[in-house]
Amino acid sequence: FEPEQHYVFKEAQTINRTQQDFELNFADNVANFTSFNKGDLLARDGDKKHYAQHDGEHIIFPNAKVALGHRALLTVVRVPTESLDLV
């Protein structure tokens, strides 16, 4: 195993749809692992706005049409492999 040849991610945010008026702030065809910068608007859930909290925050499984209370978006950030205890 060579850590420098792999990427490790950890969850940054789980964004659930709580309002009928929910929308993602990017096109429906944006690919998984598209990266956003800290402060970029990711979604609106009624009056609440969800922003990227980190530079290099990647989106996973975006789906604005999920039922109320369900996950509409997951975000992840990269973990430096040199910081992992792999022994």
Side-chain angles (χ1 to χ4, degrees):
F1 177 77
E2 296 180 33
E4 65 277 358
Q5 294 182 359
H6 300 273
Y7 296 117
V8 176
F9 293 88
K10 69 177 182 176
E11 180 181 343
Q13 298 186 68
T14 297
I15 298 173
N16 292 328
R17 179 183 181 194
T18 65
Q19 305 293 318
Q20 288 294 337
D21 184 20
F22 181 93
E23 63 183 10
L24 297 170
N25 198 49
F26 45 83
D28 288 340
N29 63 348
V30 169
N32 277 328
F33 286 94
T34 296
S35 180
F36 289 84
N37 291 316
K38 183 176 182 176
D40 287 346
L41 180 62
L42 299 174
R44 289 182 185 87
D45 189 24
D47 292 336
K48 185 173 183 178
K49 295 179 181 176
H50 297 276
Y51 296 93
Q53 297 174 348
H54 310 273
D55 284 330
E57 192 164 341
H58 302 269
I59 59 167
I60 309 285
F61 311 127
N63 184 353
K65 295 178 171 59
V66 296
L68 292 180
H70 289 245
R71 184 186 71 214
L73 179 63
L74 177 68
T75 69
V76 295
V77 291
R78 242 177 103 182
V79 176
T81 52
E82 56 273 1
S83 70
L84 300 174
D85 184 12
L86 300 172
V87 178

